[in-house]
């Protein structure tokens, strides 16, 4: 006995049929319900479109020749808001079937000739719903993988965050430094009109720009006297160390330029690569401005924080040599005219 001749129970699917022939719809409804499928029918394609915009359906059976819209026109409209709906086009005769190119272009999964025998149509529906099941499973797996990736990324961020805090815990005078630099960078980025994705890169990059100092000996990092040449050479290795720490993780690829090049100088006399001008990544130049400001306005083991006017004068003097001549004035405008924004960050992340 054929499947449609007996009552069966199937996985719940939402199926819609659209045909301007009410008799065809009545026959489809009887046959599909005998096979355990629920079917919603419409004779007006425009009305059906409005329902499809509001409700999810798994499969659509669609007549090709209809008034006031042909089936291909209906599909073209559907694809503007639903790329995944499985669609079977019904034709009165194979000579009236749409061109193969149209089927491909509109991503119509198949078509079937109308007849009194619904065997072929039922087979196509069953095949279509198997594809729907496969897509559901793929979506479920992708969602699980996305959740796992988020968990892994968070765990990695937390681990590196502990390393970052370990660096700052070495030196009580620089505690909060990376948080402030990160916030200053975002402040600059917003004034420059950068997009949200870049602002997030600035935020993360600022937090981890000095991560390489984990590899600098404490006696050098905490030395109160002037560093000798050998000690300074070791300090200058911290960007490279930082790149090695973060470089293997995909989630940090976008912030590597900040970690690597935040000590380059605009005149080419910085380290580690002696890049100059626009050779230095833009986001690293933003970090350099924020890092310089926070270094001068923070108390260090060998000096107190510098007066604000001295810091402003020093940054102006170094604009175009150490610091980017286009970014620095933007930040100094914030310092001079909107200092409450700077103060808020300094109060939140006190040393």
């Amino acid at each position: 006995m054929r499947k449609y001749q007996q009552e069966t129970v199937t996985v719940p699917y939402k199926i819609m049929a659209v045909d301007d022939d009410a008799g065809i719809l009545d026959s489809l409804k009887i046959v599909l319900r005998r096979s355990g499928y629920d079917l919603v029918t419409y004779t007006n394609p425009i009305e059906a479109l409005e329902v499809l915009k509001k409700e999810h359906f798994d499969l659509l059976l669609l007549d090709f020749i209809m008034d006031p819209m042909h089936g291909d026109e209906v599909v073209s409209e559907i694809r503007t808001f639903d790329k995944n709906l499985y669609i079977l086009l019904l034709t009165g005769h194979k000579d009236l079937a749409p061109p193969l190119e149209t089927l491909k272009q509109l991503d119509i999964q198949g078509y079937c000739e109308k007849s009194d025998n619904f065997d072929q149509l039922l087979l196509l529906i069953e095949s279509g719903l198997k594809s729907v099941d496969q897509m559901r499973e793929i979506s479920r797996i992708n969602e699980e993988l996305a959740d796992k990736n988020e968990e892994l990324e968070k765990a990695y961020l937390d681990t590196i965050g502990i390393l970052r805090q370990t660096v700052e815990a070495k030196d009580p005078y620089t505690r909060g430094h990376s948080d402030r630099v990160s916030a200053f960078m975002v402040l600059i980025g917003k004034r420059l009109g950068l997009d949200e994705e870049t602002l997030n890169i600035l935020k993360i990059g600022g937090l981890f720009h000095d991560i390489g100092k984990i590899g600098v000996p404490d006696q050098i990092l905490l030395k109160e006297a002037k560093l000798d040449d050998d000690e300074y050479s070791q300090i200058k290795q911290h960007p490279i160390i930082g790149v090695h720490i973060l470089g293997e993780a995909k989630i940090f690829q976008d912030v590597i330029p900040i970690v690597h090049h935040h000590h380059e100088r605009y005149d080419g006399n910085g380290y580690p690569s002696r890049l100059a001008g626009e050779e230095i990544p833009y986001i690293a130049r933003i970090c350099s401005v924020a890092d310089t400001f926070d270094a001068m306005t923070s108390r260090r083991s060998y000096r107190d924080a510098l007066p604000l006017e001295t810091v402003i004068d020093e940054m102006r003097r170094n604009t175009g040599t150490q610091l980017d001549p286009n970014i620095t004035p933007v930040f100094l405008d914030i310092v001079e005219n909107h200092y409450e924004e700077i103060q808020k960050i300094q109060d939140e992340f006190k040393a």
Side-chain angles (χ1 to χ4, degrees):
M1 185 177 291
R2 305 298 298 178
K3 180 178 178 182
Y4 65 83
Q5 292 176 309
Q6 57 186 347
E7 294 291 341
T8 59
V9 179
T10 66
V11 176
Y13 300 100
K14 290 189 69 175
I15 304 174
M16 178 187 288
V18 183
D19 195 312
D20 56 3
D21 186 334
I24 292 289
L25 293 178
D26 288 341
S27 297
L28 281 172
K29 189 175 292 187
I30 291 170
V31 170
L32 291 182
R33 285 187 174 173
R34 281 178 178 170
S35 297
Y37 299 119
D38 190 26
L39 182 67
V40 176
T41 62
Y42 292 92
T43 55
N44 187 326
I46 295 177
E47 183 181 351
L49 273 172
E50 291 305 309
V51 175
L52 287 168
K53 288 178 181 178
K54 298 174 184 176
E55 298 181 31
H56 168 78
F57 283 83
D58 298 299
L59 186 143
L60 173 66
L61 303 172
L62 184 66
D63 188 21
F64 180 41
I65 306 297
M66 291 186 296
D67 286 324
M69 295 177 71
H70 283 193
D72 56 343
E73 296 174 298
V74 176
V75 177
S76 182
E77 177 68 22
I78 289 171
R79 292 309 185 209
T80 64
F81 61 85
D82 189 339
K83 303 292 185 185
N84 300 316
L85 179 61
Y86 198 99
I87 299 176
L88 293 176
L89 212 57
L90 305 179
T91 62
H93 192 276
K94 64 180 179 181
D95 293 337
L96 298 176
L100 183 60
E101 190 60 37
T102 299
L103 295 175
K104 290 181 177 179
Q105 183 180 355
L106 296 176
D107 196 19
I108 297 171
Q109 283 79 1
Y111 69 92
C112 180
E113 293 179 40
K114 298 178 186 178
S115 71
D116 293 334
N117 187 338
F118 286 96
D119 284 5
Q120 183 185 4
L121 179 57
L122 280 171
L123 288 173
L124 286 173
I125 290 172
E126 289 175 6
S127 175
L129 292 175
K130 285 179 182 177
S131 295
V132 169
D133 280 341
Q134 290 171 352
M135 291 307 299
R136 283 178 175 175
E137 182 65 11
I138 290 171
S139 295
R140 184 189 66 77
I141 291 171
N142 284 339
E143 287 176 5
E144 286 186 1
L145 288 175
D147 290 341
K148 293 296 182 184
N149 284 337
E150 287 179 7
E151 290 176 14
L152 289 171
E153 288 183 3
K154 184 179 184 303
Y156 197 85
L157 279 169
D158 289 344
T159 302
I160 300 298
I162 292 170
L163 287 178
R164 175 177 74 87
Q165 292 166 7
T166 301
V167 171
E168 296 196 359
K170 284 185 173 187
D171 184 356
Y173 295 106
T174 60
R175 199 162 297 152
H177 168 68
S178 296
D179 294 286
R180 292 191 298 272
V181 169
S182 171
F184 292 149
M185 289 172 68
V186 172
L187 200 59
I188 295 169
K190 287 180 178 178
R191 290 303 174 96
L192 292 170
L194 303 182
D195 57 68
E196 286 298 322
E197 182 179 355
T198 306
L199 292 177
N200 189 56
I201 292 171
L202 293 176
K203 178 181 177 180
I204 302 298
L207 289 174
F208 295 110
H209 75 284
D210 271 344
I211 188 67
K213 286 185 177 177
I214 193 75
V216 177
D218 288 1
Q219 63 268 27
I220 296 176
L221 202 60
L222 304 178
K223 186 175 179 180
E224 297 187 8
K226 184 179 178 180
L227 299 178
D228 60 33
D229 290 344
D230 181 61
E231 291 167 334
Y232 187 52
S233 294
Q234 291 190 60
I235 280 283
K236 288 165 67 174
Q237 290 301 307
H238 81 268
I240 304 296
I241 297 171
V243 170
H244 286 312
I245 291 173
L246 303 182
E248 295 301 318
K250 183 179 178 182
I251 58 173
F252 285 114
Q253 292 309 300
D254 291 334
V255 307
I256 290 296
I258 294 174
V259 177
H260 197 178
H261 298 296
H262 66 280
H263 280 295
E264 307 287 356
R265 289 174 54 101
Y266 201 78
D267 60 10
N269 291 318
Y271 63 87
S273 304
R274 297 184 66 84
L275 301 180
E278 295 191 5
E279 293 177 337
I280 306 168
Y282 191 63
I283 52 179
R285 282 179 268 155
I286 293 175
C287 184
S288 180
V289 172
D291 193 28
T292 298
F293 176 80
D294 192 70
M296 289 194 288
T297 54
S298 300
R299 186 185 176 201
R300 311 306 290 268
S301 59
Y302 50 87
R303 63 155 172 81
D304 286 331
L306 299 178
L308 185 60
E309 289 303 318
T310 301
V311 172
I312 294 172
D313 290 344
E314 189 68 13
M315 291 185 71
R316 280 211 176 96
R317 188 175 67 81
N318 284 281
T319 297
T321 52
Q322 177 187 349
L323 305 173
D324 184 293
N326 297 310
I327 297 171
T328 310
V330 172
F331 183 62
L332 289 180
D333 178 68
I334 300 172
V335 174
E336 294 183 295
N337 299 308
H338 304 280
Y339 190 71
E340 69 280 358
E341 297 181 53
I342 302 293
Q343 188 70 59
K344 181 180 178 181
I345 292 169
Q346 291 174 329
D347 290 343
E348 183 177 358
F349 302 110
K350 289 182 179 180

